[in-house]
Amino acid sequence: MADTILVIAEQREGKLNRVSLETIAAAQAIAAETGTTVEAAVFGSGIAGIAQEVAGKKLARVYAIESPKLAKYEPDGVVAALKAFIQQKKPSLVLMPHTYQVRDFAPQLATALERTLISDATGFHKDGGKLVFTRQMFQGKFAADVSFACPAPHFVTFQAGSFRGDKAEAGASPAAVETVNAQITDGVVRNQPEDPFKEAKQAVDLTQAEIIVSVGRGIKEQKNIELAKALADALGGEIAASRPICDSGWLPMDRQIGSSGQTVSPKLYLAVGISGAIQHIVGMKGARSIIAINKDAEAPIFEIADFGVVGNLFDIVPALTEEVKKAKAGS
Amino acid sequence: MKILVCMKQVPQKDAPLKLNESGTWIREDVSYEVNEPDAYALEEALRQKEKHTGEVVVITAGPARSQQVLREGLAKGADRAIHLEDNGFVGLDAFNMAKAFVAAIKDEKFDLIFTGLQSDDYGYAQTGVIMAELMGWPHATIIMEIQKTESGIRVKRELEDGWFQHVEMPLPALLTIQSGINKLRYATLLGIKQAKNKPLRKVTMDEVKSALGENLQKIEKLYVPQKTKKTEMLDGTPGEVAKKLVDKLRNEIRVM
């Protein structure tokens, strides 16, 4: 399996995490350029159905790595199971989605094999004979081309949204599914996880909002949030924020957009004083239109905005609110 | 509890960054600050110490300028500091950075090690987890709450989409801390004064070199990302910009 790309698909609570399809699409794209084959693995307990679901994609083989010890996610059992599996199968490249779960075990897995993980990559290209991965640095202000400087297996995680899951090619017929019974020795697992839970149910479902006015650090003080609220009201939209605003308690946590908050795709996303850190972008880049107002012309938010205004939000936002009100009154 | 907090100095959030001539790194003549999640990690360590007594030690790696984050840590209440001082530490990959930290603390006995969940410069989100594996310790990532129990700790992990999970863990353990776990304190004048007399141990590259290897991954080049979208920039006075935006909202975005 030396010329094989292995995709480790993610399941949580017995359901395939759809972001895994993006990773399969990434693997298929890399395989097309490098002449490698793609296989996938899922780990857990009682996951035959999920393995079957994955096997619908164009893959050479799908492994269901099973153990009762993998029923609840914790990193030690997963690393023990995957380490043994990778040592036996010897894939050249191991791809995973950059989820919170993967972030928890993937660096441990790579280290246990004395290898390295290129984390949160957004793309790849071939440079001569070398496979190079692109990742964002300095909060998205720069991109870096990163290569491996050690023998295989090479580990890469891809940021959500870097590839399109609906572009993952289906197979002509389902791929063969092979069950692997993982041996996890007693004592290997140190953490005892409890069942996942949700804090007080979310008061607002921003995923249904057509217009979102979102504020970031540029708003400077809690009282200035009112400026953005007035604009949201004038537009008939919802107010939201980047993580630091909710961390400060200026808006409730259920108004947070980004990897740890809600993922939205409204008709309009109006970003006010938001620089556009990766963790925020992943939560809103699906918006149909993005307007960004920021004092820093170099802010990464302008990379993905349809319309941009460089300037002082404290002047522009009230002017815009007035103009919107005027236009609505007149129409 | 004896807690080590790994801290990093990163460019200030709104500092305009420029590439160096060879396009391999940024020009270093910028303003720096404490990596934000690391500030929360320090705060959490101080709160744990206040609750359970013990010691808080801060550690960083980098050139002389990075000592500032240790000074800030000491001023806020950390008891002592360790500085791996060499410009060479800036270019290490996460694997070697973790090895350098582990080598620098080999004679210490900590109950807990905290890191921020990721850094604002490299953004690897790996160094802490790698350290745990190198030391044979359990770890948990993206932590929003820590309680001491009879046999160890019980932590609250943040999962995605508003989900959380409690995890029981033995000690010693390594935790990566999420921003927002607590409210940050400011250093007091007295704290800043006292910080000057607190012990700061310097570790040279030579002292840890034997633990390090070649980087396992290499940054080939750093560059300004290509735009994936064509952004139409609007300018003028605030009034003019507002009019232009309303026109776009009406005729192109069609939400009015």
Side-chain angles (χ1 to χ4, degrees):
Chain A
M1 171 163 165
D3 278 322
T4 302
I5 301 173
L6 176 70
V7 174
I8 300 177
E10 176 167 312
Q11 59 91 16
R12 289 187 296 200
E13 315 300 308
K15 272 172 88 173
L16 179 69
N17 185 344
R18 309 301 294 174
V19 73
S20 305
L21 300 179
E22 296 178 13
T23 317
I24 291 173
Q28 288 173 340
I30 295 171
E33 280 206 28
T34 54
T36 43
T37 52
V38 184
E39 300 188 336
V42 194
F43 60 81
S45 177
I47 48 158
I50 294 167
Q52 285 298 344
E53 188 182 348
V54 173
K57 299 299 167 193
K58 193 179 165 197
L59 298 162
R61 188 173 289 268
V62 176
Y63 299 93
I65 302 175
E66 292 261 8
S67 166
K69 289 199 171 102
L70 296 175
K72 264 187 205 168
Y73 169 80
E74 56 68 43
D76 293 334
V78 173
V79 168
L82 291 179
K83 182 184 170 188
F85 179 76
I86 288 166
Q87 280 175 326
Q88 190 205 340
K89 299 291 180 186
K90 299 186 172 44
S92 55
L93 189 59
V94 180
L95 304 183
M96 293 162 277
H98 192 69
T99 61
Y100 278 19
Q101 184 178 102
V102 167
R103 287 168 56 142
D104 195 59
F105 76 78
Q108 184 186 358
L109 174 62
T111 304
L113 289 159
E114 296 193 335
R115 291 295 182 270
T116 191
L117 164 70
I118 293 179
S119 53
D120 210 15
T122 55
F124 75 93
H125 60 267
K126 268 185 88 174
D127 188 7
K130 209 171 1 176
L131 202 51
V132 173
F133 295 88
T134 308
R135 62 189 302 278
Q136 291 163 308
M137 291 192 32
F138 297 97
Q139 298 277 301
K141 286 176 186 153
F142 294 112
D145 284 349
V146 187
S147 63
F148 287 99
C150 61
H154 295 155
F155 295 84
V156 181
T157 62
F158 279 109
Q159 189 176 107
S162 303
F163 291 83
R164 290 190 47 179
D166 56 4
K167 291 279 164 72
E169 216 180 315
S173 57
V177 174
E178 188 180 316
T179 303
V180 177
N181 290 306
Q183 302 302 317
I184 300 168
T185 324
D186 285 338
V188 163
V189 174
R190 296 164 292 187
N191 293 0
Q192 293 176 328
E194 298 169 23
D195 287 329
F197 64 95
K198 268 203 163 172
E199 229 127 68
K201 75 168 178 3
Q202 295 197 332
V204 276
D205 183 5
L206 295 174
T207 62
Q208 301 302 315
E210 295 211 328
I211 297 175
I212 292 176
V213 175
S214 195
V215 294
R217 279 175 209 279
I219 204 80
K220 296 229 161 67
E221 284 183 67
Q222 182 166 18
K223 64 175 166 57
N224 298 334
I225 303 259
E226 295 304 322
L227 294 176
K229 268 190 186 153
L231 177 57
D233 287 345
L235 285 166
E238 293 282 351
I239 185 89
S242 64
R243 182 162 186 117
I245 300 298
C246 300
D247 280 348
S248 308
W250 295 356
L251 279 172
M253 278 290 177
D254 60 13
R255 297 265 167 190
Q256 185 200 329
I257 306 292
S259 54
S260 53
Q262 301 193 48
T263 301
V264 295
S265 44
K267 279 188 184 162
L268 169 64
Y269 193 89
L270 210 162
V272 177
I274 289 178
S275 65
I278 304 158
Q279 303 94 293
H280 185 74
I281 301 270
V282 296
M284 46 65 78
K285 66 182 170 191
R288 214 181 63 192
S289 298
I290 298 167
I291 297 177
I293 302 171
N294 202 297
K295 69 171 166 43
D296 176 11
E298 306 291 320
I301 190 77
F302 289 123
E303 303 294 330
I304 60 155
D306 299 280
F307 302 100
V309 180
V310 177
N312 185 345
L313 71 89
F314 301 107
D315 295 331
I316 295 160
V317 171
L320 180 56
T321 306
E322 281 317 304
E323 199 60 34
V324 169
K325 280 186 188 162
K326 233 195 286 174
K328 284 202 169 176
S331 60
Chain B
M1 287 208 279
K2 200 170 154 183
I3 307 173
L4 178 74
V5 184
C6 303
M7 302 188 68
K8 187 172 195 182
Q9 193 185 42
V10 296
Q12 253 172 18
K13 283 212 173 56
D14 22 0
L17 302 181
K18 292 198 178 69
L19 290 172
N20 66 10
E21 273 174 25
S22 50
T24 50
W25 196 242
I26 57 162
R27 282 175 47 177
E28 301 234 332
D29 52 347
V30 294
S31 312
Y32 288 89
E33 64 185 0
V34 174
N35 182 47
E36 189 172 47
D38 301 351
Y40 285 97
L42 170 67
E43 177 63 42
E44 193 55 30
L46 296 173
R47 288 177 184 223
Q48 293 294 329
K49 180 193 152 184
E50 282 153 12
K51 251 185 252 172
H52 308 294
T53 70
E55 187 185 22
V56 173
V57 181
V58 284
I59 188 169
T60 197
R65 61 167 163 79
S66 54
Q67 200 192 97
Q68 181 57 27
V69 303
L70 300 178
R71 289 283 163 216
E72 278 182 50
L74 294 172
K76 284 185 173 185
D79 299 286
R80 58 190 172 90
I82 304 169
H83 188 185
L84 285 73
E85 189 179 340
D86 196 300
N87 205 31
F89 289 114
V90 175
L92 295 185
D93 62 11
F95 188 60
N96 277 301
M97 192 63 252
K99 284 190 160 180
F101 277 150
V102 171
I105 58 164
K106 64 178 192 315
D107 298 325
E108 304 256 12
K109 277 204 161 40
F110 293 104
D111 300 300
L112 281 168
I113 297 180
F114 292 172
T115 69
L117 85 164
Q118 65 189 55
S119 63
D120 285 347
D121 52 2
Y122 283 94
Y124 285 139
Q126 296 196 56
T127 307
V129 177
I130 295 171
M131 280 176 75
E133 178 64 13
L134 292 174
M135 294 185 300
W137 288 17
H139 74 268
T141 52
I142 318 184
I143 298 305
M144 284 299 280
E145 195 180 293
I146 303 161
Q147 298 165 292
K148 205 171 177 307
T149 63
E150 266 173 36
S151 57
I153 50 172
R154 182 168 181 264
V155 299
K156 185 167 117 185
R157 283 187 66 212
E158 184 180 299
L159 310 177
E160 282 141 334
D161 302 322
W163 288 84
F164 295 90
Q165 178 180 41
H166 283 112
V167 180
E168 296 258 7
M169 307 174 69
L171 293 176
L174 185 142
L175 305 174
T176 78
I177 306 294
Q178 170 68 295
S179 291
I181 181 175
N182 47 40
K183 292 273 171 279
L184 301 178
R185 73 188 65 190
Y186 292 98
T188 60
L189 272 175
L190 182 66
I192 294 167
K193 231 184 211 172
Q194 287 173 337
K196 292 184 180 129
N197 298 318
K198 288 178 177 174
L200 190 155
R201 173 161 73 91
K202 289 197 180 183
V203 179
T204 63
M205 181 63 97
D206 276 346
E207 285 174 69
V208 295
K209 216 175 187 170
S210 62
L212 309 183
E214 294 292 316
N215 277 347
L216 300 183
Q217 55 180 270
K218 180 171 177 248
I219 297 175
E220 304 271 352
K221 65 169 181 177
L222 197 65
Y223 52 96
V224 177
Q226 280 181 333
K227 276 186 178 258
T228 48
K229 244 185 189 178
K230 202 175 167 303
T231 307
E232 186 180 339
M233 301 305 285
L234 308 174
D235 48 23
T237 64
E240 288 162 2
V241 166
K243 281 203 174 65
K244 287 179 187 174
L245 281 173
V246 167
D247 176 59
K248 301 294 178 195
L249 292 170
R250 222 180 211 156
N251 301 316
E252 293 186 41
I253 305 173
R254 292 174 193 279
V255 287
M256 276 178 63

